[in-house]
Amino acid sequence: MSLNESLEQHKDELLQALERDDRERLDAQLPELRSADIAEILQDLLEGDDELRARALLDSLPLERQASVIGYLHGEEQLVFTSAMRNDKLQAVLEDMGSDERTDLFKVLDEDRREVLLRRMAHREREELMRLASYEEGTAGALMTSDYVAIPMGMTVSRAMMRVRQTAPDAETVYQLYVLDAEGRPAGTMSLRQLMVARPGAKVDELMIRDVIHATVDTPQEEVARLVARYDMLAVPVVDEDRRLVGIVTHDDALDVVEFEATEDIHKGMSIGQLEDGVSRVPLLSLYRKRVTWLVLLVFGNLLSGAGIAHFEDTIAAQVALVFFLPLLIGSGGNAGAQAATLMVRGMATGDVGVRDWGKLLGRELLVAGALGLTMALAVAPIGVMRGGEAVALVVAVSMISIVLFGSLLGMCLPFVLDRFGWDPATASAPLVTTLIDASGVLIYFSFATLILSSG
Amino acid sequence: MSLNESLEQHKDELLQALERDDRERLDAQLPELRSADIAEILQDLLEGDDELRARALLDSLPLERQASVIGYLHGEEQLVFTSAMRNDKLQAVLEDMGSDERTDLFKVLDEDRREVLLRRMAHREREELMRLASYEEGTAGALMTSDYVAIPMGMTVSRAMMRVRQTAPDAETVYQLYVLDAEGRPAGTMSLRQLMVARPGAKVDELMIRDVIHATVDTPQEEVARLVARYDMLAVPVVDEDRRLVGIVTHDDALDVVEFEATEDIHKGMSIGQLEDGVSRVPLLSLYRKRVTWLVLLVFGNLLSGAGIAHFEDTIAAQVALVFFLPLLIGSGGNAGAQAATLMVRGMATGDVGVRDWGKLLGRELLVAGALGLTMALAVAPIGVMRGGEAVALVVAVSMISIVLFGSLLGMCLPFVLDRFGWDPATASAPLVTTLIDASGVLIYFSFATLILSSG
């Protein structure tokens, strides 16, 4: 039985027990499920408009478990459950959460609720929560947790070990330790593994790695994730403007960021704006808005192709057979160009391609696109002969090579140009590149047609 | 100074020291750099055809560090360095590597070299290496390391702690421990954190979590990564056919998989085959091959559009102005369809969209695409009036709505259909969807034109 099957089975049994209000079964089933799994069951129930059953399921869990499950839900789903909670229970749930999840939940609550909850908190907790909630979304500050293990400089290994044991129940990770100087700045870092094999009387200062790889609170989250990936880190320490340690971003959050950013890039590559939730859950109006902007802009881009055609109306009227090859030629150029743009955009996003590689890549694209254009011209030339004779075949073949070559170079260069002007290279989406190539393709094709057919 | 700036500065200083053969400087600079950074410097040197300097830099490192740096290089780069190494040095490098990196390096060596090295190894090492090298690329087996901490059932906490300390220098991670039964099957798992706060005399059996989330050696790597992401795991245990623990996949490898799979999906979405390396390094012939297949296939797909046009040649000859709107209409349908396909393919890849959501998503797409088509029809209708009068405007507007609606539904459904027939949904790439919509768009447009203009 695969994991997924066993999970589905657990879910079914749980839902049945819930249906029959079979407490005994529930108590036997629930500890078998991870919080992520229970969260998924709750999401399924909410999607089926079964709010009552979802609430009953959550309520049947111990409070600590409730906090953990809520941490896995999306903002609107969290609101469904918290809006029915009394203030003292919600406060207890918040207290049971890690500081990063607490902050996220706090941010989705409405103004009044936040006020009430803040007033019930101790001064220090309140300050910390408000500080964490103040960082802009998409930065290391918004992603980090303040539950890390800090060790003052000069501490011995044995005392540091005691500190780790004390912090263990609350810290997000106890496996990476941060040695702070008197100002609270990271002076070094060490792993729990290093600490465990060290001589108990040694000072942490002797063991720590002094060159601490870190982010600042306003480092973009994708850069933080890149640090984690590059250096195989368990967590990245985050410092504020005064270089004081204020939090850490852990490997699991970095993984979520990589997945999220990839989705965003894939959507951008097709001219879709950033969705606030999965495609199956995002509100329809929002989905419409995120798709319509570029589509309408590109309508006007496509009018350029129309203008090109209008310019050559006489050529077309004289030889209507030319229209046969129009979608083929502009389509092929668009496909090759979109390939080239996509390779560059993704290469730049992963750090594989830098601006200084431009010259080298241009030479490579010239060779590859030339070969592609030639292959496609050879594929299409016989059909040109069949439909319009040798002269038309020549026009089509020469146009194919030119359009594929031009389209590929345009697709390749556009991301670099956009980047140069401070735009996101991903704006060079397939639809934009295709639209630009369509217009150029019309001009190239009918220019060759006029030139070759009228002289022939 | 940002991390990148400080890294660049380190690199420059290091290269200068290498140039002047300044041992003292080198010894001061090298420990400041992480292995990942040194590997990048080596890559830069190799790209600049400076093999000699690259070798000199690697040789100036302690052996253990050399092993670590080589682990960060790609296969062909590894060969550059290992081909110049004597067998005893290469053997020492292999011994200093983690088992997963050792296996990867071993796999790039040529047959003769492997034979020689295997003969020099102890029986157990040889068996393990050959077993790890035997798993298919892209599976948990090929990704995993065998350097994990195993604890036999019945062991006390204090003895388990000693075991952890002993294994610490070699294990990939000591933070997740696996409790094995007498047959070597995972009976439970526990974190080092749990172990540290437990009563020393307690048995691990009392502490461990019995329901072990695991993969098998042939689980696809993207599923392993999804487990890590879903359950925020440090490592996923991997079992063989007999359910015995044979390795673990750690969080850093899962992160690399997510990044790799995203790149693959992005390329597939633009009909580019899987590249064996970054776009700036992959051989030109390979890049050509990975791009040409679909491009040529789509040439023949595009001939369908041509056939459609040929069928309506009389309509076109009678009103050449219709050609003006052709690229606009088929382009807009293609863009909307590619958006819809991309949203589905990515949703399916991240697990956000399942086959059972199809009906609900179809209804949503119908509404959104209808609204998109209407918006774009309104944008284009005035131009229709200007260029060809009201009848043409009507043809263009009705065609726009129909093509966008049809294209979006086609783009949305195609990934599900492909999945149903056992194909990768990502085969529904933007170029494929666009080509199919081009052909349908031609038919829809000229059908409306014939219908409305001939009756008017």
Side-chain angles (χ1 to χ4, degrees):
Chain A
M1 190 160 59
S2 80
L3 178 87
N4 278 334
E5 287 163 28
S6 107
L7 181 60
E8 285 300 320
Q9 193 185 319
H10 272 313
K11 272 167 71 171
D12 287 346
E13 285 170 10
L14 190 69
L15 288 177
Q16 279 169 24
L18 202 64
E19 190 102 40
R20 294 193 306 267
D21 201 22
D22 184 345
R23 259 323 322 166
E24 218 166 297
R25 268 305 291 236
L26 273 179
D27 288 342
Q29 284 292 329
L30 280 172
E32 291 285 301
L33 285 163
R34 306 296 205 275
S35 298
D37 298 329
I38 300 179
E40 193 179 286
I41 296 175
L42 292 180
Q43 287 171 331
D44 285 353
L45 288 171
L46 286 187
E47 272 187 49
D49 278 326
D50 204 346
E51 245 182 75
L52 274 181
R53 209 134 58 109
R55 272 208 207 107
L57 176 55
L58 188 68
D59 278 336
S60 71
L61 297 169
L63 197 65
E64 207 178 326
R65 198 71 191 282
Q66 291 189 32
S68 160
V69 169
I70 291 174
Y72 279 95
L73 297 173
H74 293 96
E76 332 83 82
E77 296 157 355
Q78 290 181 328
L79 271 183
V80 170
F81 295 104
T82 55
S83 61
M85 277 181 197
R86 282 175 25 200
N87 285 329
D88 54 344
K89 180 168 171 194
L90 182 52
Q91 191 185 3
V93 164
L94 283 168
E95 277 165 12
D96 271 334
M97 287 178 138
S99 73
D100 47 350
E101 280 159 0
R102 182 187 308 142
T103 311
D104 291 339
L105 177 56
F106 183 75
K107 283 200 260 186
V108 303
L109 299 175
D110 66 44
E111 192 73 337
D112 295 345
R113 198 89 202 251
R114 283 194 235 173
E115 284 293 322
V116 174
L117 287 164
L118 281 178
R119 248 180 284 134
R120 295 169 79 109
M121 283 177 195
H123 175 72
R124 218 179 115 181
E125 270 186 313
R126 185 166 57 222
E127 293 289 301
E128 197 206 343
L129 183 56
M130 286 173 63
R131 186 170 56 78
L132 285 174
S134 71
Y135 298 112
E136 205 184 327
E137 280 304 310
T139 63
L143 204 62
M144 71 190 185
T145 169
S146 55
D147 305 324
Y148 52 84
V149 184
I151 309 278
M153 271 180 87
M155 205 180 230
T156 60
V157 166
S158 60
R159 288 205 50 209
M161 204 69 185
M162 274 173 59
R163 166 76 61 103
V164 172
R165 278 213 181 75
Q166 284 157 9
T167 333
D170 293 320
E172 193 82 10
T173 178
V174 297
Y175 304 133
Q176 199 64 39
L177 318 173
Y178 304 95
V179 182
L180 303 187
D181 66 15
E183 281 80 39
R185 296 184 182 134
T189 174
M190 57 189 303
S191 65
L192 178 56
R193 185 199 294 228
Q194 281 179 284
L195 197 68
M196 285 179 69
V197 296
R199 190 171 48 83
K203 293 260 166 72
V204 290
D205 314 35
E206 303 160 26
L207 298 162
M208 68 189 189
I209 298 164
R210 282 167 195 280
D211 177 25
V212 182
I213 295 172
H214 63 270
T216 61
V217 285
D218 51 6
T219 303
Q221 61 180 7
E222 57 267 37
E223 274 181 40
V224 179
R226 222 171 290 148
L227 284 180
V228 173
R230 181 180 174 96
Y231 298 109
D232 296 340
M233 296 167 94
L234 268 172
V236 180
V238 183
V239 301
D240 66 9
E241 316 75 57
D242 302 323
R243 305 188 138 264
R244 278 193 298 253
L245 185 66
V246 286
I248 58 171
V249 175
T250 49
H251 63 95
D252 49 322
D253 291 326
L255 186 60
D256 293 341
V257 166
V258 169
E259 184 121 328
F260 173 85
E261 295 284 337
T263 298
E264 205 189 38
D265 285 353
I266 287 174
H267 288 172
K268 257 194 196 157
M270 221 56 70
S271 298
I272 304 166
Q274 190 186 323
L275 300 180
E276 65 268 34
D277 200 349
V279 64
S280 62
R281 280 186 307 271
V282 72
L284 284 181
L285 187 64
S286 170
L287 193 57
Y288 166 79
R289 281 216 203 101
K290 300 300 161 89
R291 288 175 63 178
V292 80
T293 319
W294 270 103
L295 286 182
V296 169
L297 284 177
L298 292 172
V299 162
F300 295 101
N302 268 313
L303 286 175
L304 289 176
S305 307
I309 288 171
H311 180 74
F312 288 102
E313 214 157 78
D314 294 342
T315 311
I316 297 169
Q319 188 125 15
V320 176
L322 285 176
V323 183
F324 179 92
F325 293 99
L326 183 63
L328 169 62
L329 288 171
I330 63 181
S332 298
N335 290 343
Q339 282 185 339
T342 301
L343 286 168
M344 290 307 125
V345 170
R346 182 61 184 164
M348 289 165 93
T350 56
D352 171 44
V353 167
V355 173
R356 70 206 160 96
D357 300 322
W358 183 81
K360 180 187 153 205
L361 287 163
L362 186 71
R364 287 170 59 94
E365 185 63 31
L366 211 60
L367 289 172
V368 173
L372 290 174
L374 201 63
T375 312
M376 291 156 84
L378 289 175
V380 84
I383 301 150
V385 176
M386 270 160 45
R387 289 214 51 97
E390 281 175 22
V392 168
L394 181 65
V395 171
V396 171
V398 172
S399 301
M400 182 64 101
I401 296 177
S402 311
I403 293 173
V404 167
L405 201 57
F406 172 81
S408 297
L409 293 180
L410 178 79
M412 197 226 106
C413 295
L414 196 57
F416 287 99
V417 174
L418 290 167
D419 188 62
R420 184 69 194 258
F421 286 100
W423 286 53
D424 183 347
T427 313
S429 63
L432 176 61
V433 169
T434 305
T435 302
L436 291 176
I437 295 170
D438 279 2
S440 331
V442 166
L443 294 183
I444 293 174
Y445 177 39
F446 290 124
S447 296
F448 276 122
T450 312
L451 197 74
I452 295 173
L453 297 182
S454 64
S455 73
Chain B
M1 189 159 61
S2 80
L3 178 87
N4 278 333
E5 287 163 27
S6 105
L7 181 61
E8 285 301 320
Q9 194 185 318
H10 272 311
K11 273 167 70 172
D12 288 346
E13 286 170 9
L14 190 69
L15 288 177
Q16 280 167 24
L18 201 64
E19 190 100 40
R20 294 193 307 266
D21 199 21
D22 184 346
R23 255 335 308 174
E24 217 167 299
R25 266 311 286 239
L26 272 179
D27 288 343
Q29 284 290 330
L30 280 172
E32 290 284 301
L33 284 163
R34 306 296 203 276
S35 298
D37 299 329
I38 300 178
E40 193 178 284
I41 296 175
L42 292 181
Q43 287 170 330
D44 286 353
L45 288 171
L46 287 187
E47 273 187 49
D49 278 325
D50 205 346
E51 245 183 76
L52 273 182
R53 214 142 45 116
R55 272 209 207 105
L57 176 57
L58 189 69
D59 278 336
S60 71
L61 297 169
L63 197 64
E64 207 178 326
R65 198 73 192 279
Q66 291 190 31
S68 160
V69 169
I70 290 174
Y72 279 96
L73 297 173
H74 293 95
E76 332 82 82
E77 295 157 354
Q78 290 181 329
L79 270 184
V80 171
F81 296 104
T82 53
S83 61
M85 278 182 196
R86 281 175 26 200
N87 285 329
D88 55 345
K89 181 166 171 197
L90 181 52
Q91 191 186 4
V93 165
L94 282 168
E95 276 166 13
D96 270 334
M97 287 180 139
S99 73
D100 47 349
E101 281 158 358
R102 182 187 308 143
T103 311
D104 291 340
L105 176 56
F106 183 75
K107 282 200 262 188
V108 303
L109 299 176
D110 64 45
E111 194 69 78
D112 294 346
R113 198 91 202 250
R114 284 194 235 172
E115 284 291 324
V116 174
L117 287 165
L118 281 177
R119 247 179 284 133
R120 296 169 79 109
M121 282 179 198
H123 175 74
R124 218 179 114 183
E125 270 185 314
R126 186 168 54 220
E127 291 291 301
E128 197 205 344
L129 182 56
M130 285 175 64
R131 186 171 57 79
L132 285 174
S134 70
Y135 297 112
E136 207 185 326
E137 280 304 311
T139 63
L143 205 61
M144 71 188 185
T145 169
S146 54
D147 304 325
Y148 52 85
V149 184
I151 309 277
M153 271 180 88
M155 204 180 231
T156 60
V157 166
S158 60
R159 287 205 49 208
M161 204 70 186
M162 273 172 58
R163 168 74 63 99
V164 172
R165 280 212 180 77
Q166 284 158 6
T167 332
D170 293 319
E172 193 83 9
T173 178
V174 297
Y175 304 134
Q176 199 65 37
L177 319 173
Y178 303 95
V179 182
L180 303 187
D181 66 14
E183 280 79 40
R185 297 186 181 131
T189 173
M190 56 188 305
S191 65
L192 178 56
R193 185 199 295 226
Q194 279 178 286
L195 196 68
M196 285 179 70
V197 296
R199 190 171 48 84
K203 293 259 166 71
V204 290
D205 314 34
E206 302 161 27
L207 298 162
M208 68 188 189
I209 298 165
R210 282 168 194 279
D211 178 24
V212 181
I213 295 172
H214 64 271
T216 61
V217 284
D218 51 6
T219 304
Q221 61 179 10
E222 57 267 37
E223 273 181 41
V224 180
R226 221 171 290 146
L227 284 180
V228 173
R230 181 180 175 98
Y231 297 109
D232 296 341
M233 296 166 95
L234 269 171
V236 180
V238 183
V239 300
D240 65 10
E241 314 75 56
D242 302 323
R243 304 188 140 266
R244 277 193 298 253
L245 184 66
V246 286
I248 58 171
V249 175
T250 49
H251 63 95
D252 49 322
D253 291 327
L255 186 60
D256 293 342
V257 167
V258 169
E259 185 120 326
F260 173 85
E261 294 284 336
T263 298
E264 204 189 37
D265 286 352
I266 287 174
H267 289 172
K268 256 194 197 159
M270 221 56 69
S271 299
I272 304 165
Q274 189 186 324
L275 301 179
E276 67 268 34
D277 199 350
V279 63
S280 62
R281 279 186 306 271
V282 71
L284 285 181
L285 186 64
S286 170
L287 192 57
Y288 166 79
R289 280 216 204 101
K290 299 301 161 91
R291 287 174 65 178
V292 80
T293 320
W294 270 102
L295 286 181
V296 169
L297 283 178
L298 292 172
V299 162
F300 295 100
N302 268 313
L303 286 175
L304 289 176
S305 307
I309 289 172
H311 180 74
F312 288 102
E313 213 157 78
D314 295 341
T315 311
I316 298 169
Q319 187 125 19
V320 176
L322 285 176
V323 183
F324 179 91
F325 293 99
L326 183 63
L328 169 61
L329 288 171
I330 63 180
S332 298
N335 290 342
Q339 283 185 339
T342 302
L343 286 169
M344 290 307 124
V345 171
R346 182 61 183 164
M348 289 165 92
T350 57
D352 172 44
V353 167
V355 172
R356 69 208 159 97
D357 300 323
W358 183 80
K360 180 188 153 202
L361 287 162
L362 186 71
R364 288 168 58 94
E365 185 62 32
L366 212 60
L367 290 171
V368 173
L372 291 173
L374 202 63
T375 313
M376 291 156 84
L378 289 174
V380 83
I383 302 150
V385 176
M386 272 161 45
R387 291 214 49 98
E390 282 175 22
V392 168
L394 181 65
V395 171
V396 170
V398 173
S399 300
M400 181 65 102
I401 296 178
S402 311
I403 294 174
V404 168
L405 203 56
F406 172 80
S408 298
L409 293 181
L410 178 79
M412 197 224 106
C413 295
L414 196 56
F416 287 100
V417 175
L418 290 168
D419 188 62
R420 184 69 194 259
F421 286 100
W423 287 53
D424 184 348
T427 314
S429 62
L432 176 62
V433 168
T434 306
T435 302
L436 293 176
I437 295 170
D438 279 3
S440 332
V442 166
L443 294 182
I444 294 174
Y445 176 40
F446 289 123
S447 297
F448 276 121
T450 312
L451 197 74
I452 295 174
L453 298 182
S454 64
S455 70

